[in-house]
Amino acid sequence: MMCHVLIIEDEPLLAFDLQDMLAAAGATSFAFAETEDDAVSEARARRPDVITSDVMLREGTGPQAVAVIVEEIGPVPVIYITGSPDQCAPCDPPARVLAKPVADAMVRAAFREVAPVT
């Protein structure tokens, strides 16, 4: 299964930890974005199969980035991984919401639930 993941996270160490967790769960390629604009640009460059996103970013928010991406390229499964899960209710489209600090097993389980099976 080929699975490209867009990781929207403004903390680089956490982004790389997520990459390791998702690779172990079966993701095969990754793009990274630290801002809302970067996230939209990365999704335009290569359509993600899954998006993981923080809610609050250095510039903009994850939910706003996801809304633009979904509007432009269509539905994409989303896992929000955030220190402020209350700010993600309701997030559109509906998504899994995991609170930081997040356990490896939680990320893997959420990914397996939403990842496209080929």
Side-chain angles (χ1 to χ4, degrees), residues 21-43:
M21 292 178 210
L22 295 165
T28 53
S29 63
F30 301 89
F32 298 91
E34 293 187 7
T35 68
E36 186 177 322
D37 289 344
D38 289 347
V40 173
S41 294
E42 288 293 340

Side-chain angles (χ1 to χ4, degrees), residues 96-112:
R96 290 292 315 262
V97 180
L98 304 178
K100 291 179 184 176
V102 67
D104 187 328
M106 292 173 64
V107 173
R108 288 185 195 203
F111 176 77
R112 288 189 190 109

Side-chain angles (χ1 to χ4, degrees), residues 3-117:
C3 185
H4 180 66
V5 179
L6 172 57
I7 298 174
I8 307 171
E9 173 58 61
D10 58 5
E11 296 176 34
L13 291 177
L14 181 52
F16 291 124
D17 284 347
L18 289 172
Q19 178 184 18
D20 290 344
M21 292 178 210
L22 295 165
T28 53
S29 63
F30 301 89
F32 298 91
E34 293 187 7
T35 68
E36 186 177 322
D37 289 344
D38 289 347
V40 173
S41 294
E42 288 293 340
R44 286 176 180 148
R46 181 170 179 192
R47 187 189 202 300
D49 298 304
V50 174
I51 296 172
T52 67
S53 180
D54 196 353
V55 172
M56 303 307 298
L57 303 173
R58 224 180 299 276
E59 293 176 27
T61 73
Q64 289 172 324
V66 168
V68 172
I69 292 166
V70 167
E71 184 177 303
E72 289 191 10
I73 67 172
V76 179
V78 181
I79 304 167
Y80 288 103
I81 302 172
T82 178
S84 49
D86 55 315
Q87 294 183 12
C88 199
C91 279
D92 188 35
R96 290 292 315 262
V97 180
L98 304 178
K100 291 179 184 176
V102 67
D104 187 328
M106 292 173 64
V107 173
R108 288 185 195 203
F111 176 77
R112 288 189 190 109
E113 278 182 31
V114 303
V117 178

